C-alpha cells in the first residue's frame, strides 16, 4: 500500500499552491528555513555528529557542547581521567589504529603527571579519597599505558621510542613480560642482537612457558646466525680482495710496469687492470687501452688488451673506420704514439707486444688506462708540432 504524501502545515499567508515538503518533528521545525548545506554545518558542530573538528558555534563564538565534553574528559581523580584515556587507547589498539591509540596513551600518562585537582568543599556527598589506594590505581594505569604505548611504537616502527616505553614499564614492574617481549622485538628489528637476546632471556626467566617469547627467541637465534654468516662472507670477500690487490701489485712490480693515479680519473666502469687468474701473479695481464684518433677527435676503447697482443692485432679488426671517408686509417698507413712519464712522446711499435712497450720504463699506466695516439703518417709531423706547442715545448 502506497503511503500518501503529507503536506507541510501552511504558514500564515501561504497559499495551497505554494511548494511544500515533508512534515518535520516539532523539535526540528526551527531548521525548516535552512538549506541542506547549512543543516550539515550545524550538525558538524554537534559532538555526536562531528566529522571534522569545529570549535565554533558558527557565529564566531565558542562551541559550548564541545567545550563541555572536553571538560568532562578531565573530570575526576587522576586515576579516573587517566583510566578513561587508557580505555580509549585500548579501543583504538584493538582495531589497529596505532597512531590514535598512542595519542590516548600519551594523554593518560600526561594526566597521571598533572597536579591533583583540589578536593571539593566538604558536604553530605563528599567522599574522602584513600591516597594509598589511589596511588596503586595510578601505578597500574601508568604501567599499562607505557607498555601499550610501546606496542603502538613497535607497530609504527618507532623502535627507539618502543624501547624507552619498555624501560619505563620495567622500572615500574620488572616482571612485565609484555615489556620484555616488545623490547626484544624492537631490538631485533634494529639487528641489535645482544640486546634482543638479553631482553628475551629475561622475559623467559619470568615466564619460561611463554609461547610468544619462545617463538621470538627462535627468530633471534635465526637472525643471529644469518648475520654471522653475512659477516663471514663479508670478511672472506675483503680478504679475497686484499689478496687480489696484493697479487696484482706484485705482478706489475715483477714486470717493471709503472702505474699512477690522479684526482681526475675517468669512469671506466668495470674495465680495470687485471690478471687472468687474480691470485696468480704469473698469469696473463689485461689492460684497458684507449685508441685516440687525435687528428680527427675520435676514439675507440679496448676493455681488456692482452699484454701479449700487439697494436696491429686490434687495428686489423677495427679498420676501416666508419667515419674515415678519406680512407686515411689503414694498418700500414698509421703510426702510434704514447706520452712518456717525462711529458714527451714515444713511438709505439705496432708489432711489439704491449708488455714490451710498458716495461720500457718510459711510459706508465695512468688511472688504470693506457692511451695510444693513432695518426695517419701524413699528419704525424703536424700533430707532433701541435702537441709540443700545447706542452710549451719547441
Amino acid at each position: 500500500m502506497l503511503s500518501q504524501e503529507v503536506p507541510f502545515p501552511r504558514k500564515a499567508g501561504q497559499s495551497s499552491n505554494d511548494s511544500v515538503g515533508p512534515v518535520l518533528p516539532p523539535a526540528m521545525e526551527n531548521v525548516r528555513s535552512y538549506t541542506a548545506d547549512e543543516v550539515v554545518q550545524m550538525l558538524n558542530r554537534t559532538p555526536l555528529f562531528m566529522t571534522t573538528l569545529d570549535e565554533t558555534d558558527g557565529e564566531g563564538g565558542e562551541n559550548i557542547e564541545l567545550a563541555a565534553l572536553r571538560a568532562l574528559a578531565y573530570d575526576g581523580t587522576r586515576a579516573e581521567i587517566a583510566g578513561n584515556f587508557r580505555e580509549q587507547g585500548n579501543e583504538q589498539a584493538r582495531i589497529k589504529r596505532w597512531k590514535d591509540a598512542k595519542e590516548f596513551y600519551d594523554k593518560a600518562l600526561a594526566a597521571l603527571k598533572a597536579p591533583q585537582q583540589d578536593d571539593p568543599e566538604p558536604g553530605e556527598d563528599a567522599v574522602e579519597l584513600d591516597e594509598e589506594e589511589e596511588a596503586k590505581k595510578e601505578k597500574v594505569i601508568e604501567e599499562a599505558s607505557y607498555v601499550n604505548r610501546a606496542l603502538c611504537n613497535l607497530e609504527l616502527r618507532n623502535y627507539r621510542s618502543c624501547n624507552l616505553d619498555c624501560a619505563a614499564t620495567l622500572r615500574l614492574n620488572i616482571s612485565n613480560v609484555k615489556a620484555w617481549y616488545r623490547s626484544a622485538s624492537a631490538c631485533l628489528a634494529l639487528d641489535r642482537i645482544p640486546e634482543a637476546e638479553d631482553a628475551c632471556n629475561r622475559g623467559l626467566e619470568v615466564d619460561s612457558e611463554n609461547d610468544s617469547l619462545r617463538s621470538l627467541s627462535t627468530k633471534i637465534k635465526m637472525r643471529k646466525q644469518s648475520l654471522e654468516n653475512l659477516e663471514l662472507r663479508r670478511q672472506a670477500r675483503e680478504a679475497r680482495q686484499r689478496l687480489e690487490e696484493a697479487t696484482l701489485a706484485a705482478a706489475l712490480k715483477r714486470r717493471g710496469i709503472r702505474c699512477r693515479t690522479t684526482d681526475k680519473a675517468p669512469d671506466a666502469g668495470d674495465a680495470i687492470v687485471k690478471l687472468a687468474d687474480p691470485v696468480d701473479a704469473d698469469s696473463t695481464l689485461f689492460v684497458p687501452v684507449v685508441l685516440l684518433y687525435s687528428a680527427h677527435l675520435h676514439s675507440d676503447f679496448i676493455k681488456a688488451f692482452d699484454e701479449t697482443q700487439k697494436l696491429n692485432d686490434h687495428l686489423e679488426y677495427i679498420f676501416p673506420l666508419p667515419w674515415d671517408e678519406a680512407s686515411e686509417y689503414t694498418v700500414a698507413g698509421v703510426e702510434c704514439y704514447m706520452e712518456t712519464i717525462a711529458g714527451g712522446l714515444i713511438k709505439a711499435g705496432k708489432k711489439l707486444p704491449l708488455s714490451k712497450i710498458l716495461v720500457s720504463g718510459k711510459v706508465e699506466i695512468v688511472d688504470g688506462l693506457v692511451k695510444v695516439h693513432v695518426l695517419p703518417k701524413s699528419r704525424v709531423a703536424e700533430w707532433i708540432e701541435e702537441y709540443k706547442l700545447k706542452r710549451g715545448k719547441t
Side-chain angles (χ1 to χ4, degrees):
M1 179 177 178
L2 298 176
S3 60
Q4 293 182 332
E5 183 179 346
V6 181
F8 270 132
R10 290 192 294 276
K11 294 181 180 179
Q14 183 181 29
S15 69
S16 60
N17 293 327
D18 291 339
S19 60
V20 296
V23 174
L24 295 175
M28 295 184 66
E29 278 295 322
N30 62 335
V31 304
R32 183 185 298 280
S33 61
Y34 295 97
T35 65
D37 289 340
E38 289 172 335
V39 172
V40 170
Q41 290 176 4
M42 291 169 62
L43 288 173
N44 196 55
R45 287 190 289 273
T46 304
L48 181 61
F49 299 101
M50 279 185 171
T51 57
T52 58
L53 186 60
D54 188 343
E55 300 189 8
T56 73
D57 62 356
E59 297 179 359
E62 182 183 10
N63 189 330
I64 297 175
E65 293 179 64
L66 182 60
L69 282 179
R70 282 179 167 172
L72 187 62
Y74 290 91
D75 186 25
T77 65
R78 277 195 304 231
E80 290 171 341
I81 296 169
N84 178 50
F85 283 130
R86 185 197 66 179
E87 286 302 321
Q88 292 180 75
N90 292 346
E91 290 174 8
Q92 296 301 309
R94 276 191 284 271
I95 57 177
K96 301 185 185 302
R97 296 180 63 173
W98 305 114
K99 187 175 181 180
D100 292 337
K102 178 181 174 298
E103 289 180 1
F104 280 117
Y105 295 133
D106 288 342
K107 291 179 179 180
L109 292 166
L112 291 173
K113 295 174 183 177
Q116 181 67 57
Q117 295 181 3
D118 293 335
D119 292 334
E121 291 295 329
E124 293 183 5
D125 298 329
V127 178
E128 186 176 348
L129 293 177
D130 184 332
E131 292 185 3
E132 185 177 345
E133 187 64 27
E134 283 297 304
K136 290 180 181 178
K137 290 179 182 178
E138 289 178 10
K139 183 178 179 181
V140 170
I141 295 169
E142 184 179 15
E143 179 183 345
S145 297
Y146 271 125
V147 78
N148 289 346
R149 192 173 70 176
L151 172 61
C152 297
N153 280 317
L154 182 63
E155 294 292 340
L156 292 169
R157 300 184 181 181
N158 300 330
Y159 300 123
R160 182 175 181 277
S161 295
C162 175
N163 270 323
L164 290 174
D165 283 340
C166 290
T169 304
L170 294 167
R171 281 193 291 270
L172 296 168
N173 179 10
I174 195 67
S175 298
N176 191 305
V177 174
K178 289 181 179 179
W180 288 121
Y181 174 83
R182 289 164 189 171
S183 178
S185 298
C187 291
L188 175 60
L190 295 170
D191 277 340
R192 291 165 50 181
I193 301 303
E195 293 95 328
E197 285 182 318
D198 180 66
C200 191
N201 290 337
R202 295 185 70 171
L204 287 170
E205 288 176 4
V206 178
D207 183 359
S208 61
E209 301 301 318
N210 187 285
D211 290 337
S212 296
L213 280 169
R214 294 170 73 174
S215 175
L216 182 60
S217 178
T218 301
K219 291 179 182 178
I220 293 170
K221 290 175 182 176
M222 292 174 62
R223 182 58 179 166
K224 180 180 181 180
Q225 186 62 54
S226 175
L227 290 175
E228 288 176 351
N229 292 339
L230 287 172
E231 177 61 18
L232 289 173
R233 287 196 289 270
R234 184 191 66 79
Q235 292 177 3
R237 284 196 305 271
E238 291 181 353
R240 173 76 179 192
Q241 183 178 353
R242 288 193 296 270
L243 175 60
E244 290 181 4
E245 289 173 352
T247 304
L248 178 60
L252 293 170
K253 184 177 181 180
R254 186 178 302 175
R255 288 167 170 79
I257 297 174
R258 299 178 63 173
C259 297
R260 176 169 60 90
T261 58
T262 70
D263 56 359
K264 297 181 179 180
D267 182 9
D270 60 348
I272 58 173
V273 179
K274 61 184 179 181
L275 294 165
D277 182 348
V279 294
D280 182 2
D282 293 324
S283 63
T284 303
L285 182 71
F286 292 91
V287 182
V289 173
V290 180
L291 301 179
L292 299 169
Y293 309 114
S294 304
H296 290 85
L297 302 179
H298 284 279
S299 65
D300 277 315
F301 183 54
I302 302 170
K303 188 175 180 179
F305 198 124
D306 185 328
E307 66 176 328
T308 64
Q309 292 178 321
K310 309 172 184 63
L311 284 168
N312 272 357
D313 294 333
H314 291 279
L315 295 178
E316 285 174 354
Y317 70 79
I318 291 174
F319 293 163
L321 298 170
W323 45 265
D324 181 23
E325 297 179 356
S327 299
E328 294 183 79
Y329 290 86
T330 63
V331 175
V334 298
E335 290 182 355
C336 299
Y337 290 84
M338 296 174 65
E339 298 178 24
T340 65
I341 296 172
L345 291 171
I346 184 175
K347 187 175 181 180
K350 294 182 291 181
K351 296 181 180 180
L352 285 177
L354 180 62
S355 59
K356 293 289 185 182
I357 299 172
L358 294 177
V359 301
S360 66
K362 297 181 179 180
V363 297
E364 61 187 346
I365 300 173
V366 181
D367 294 327
L369 296 171
V370 169
K371 296 179 181 179
V372 179
H373 298 273
V374 181
L375 300 144
K377 290 180 180 180
S378 61
R379 295 176 180 262
V380 169
E382 178 185 356
W383 177 79
I384 289 177
E385 287 301 317
E386 291 179 357
Y387 180 87
K388 288 180 178 180
L389 287 173
K390 289 179 181 178
R391 292 282 183 170
K393 298 182 178 179
T394 56

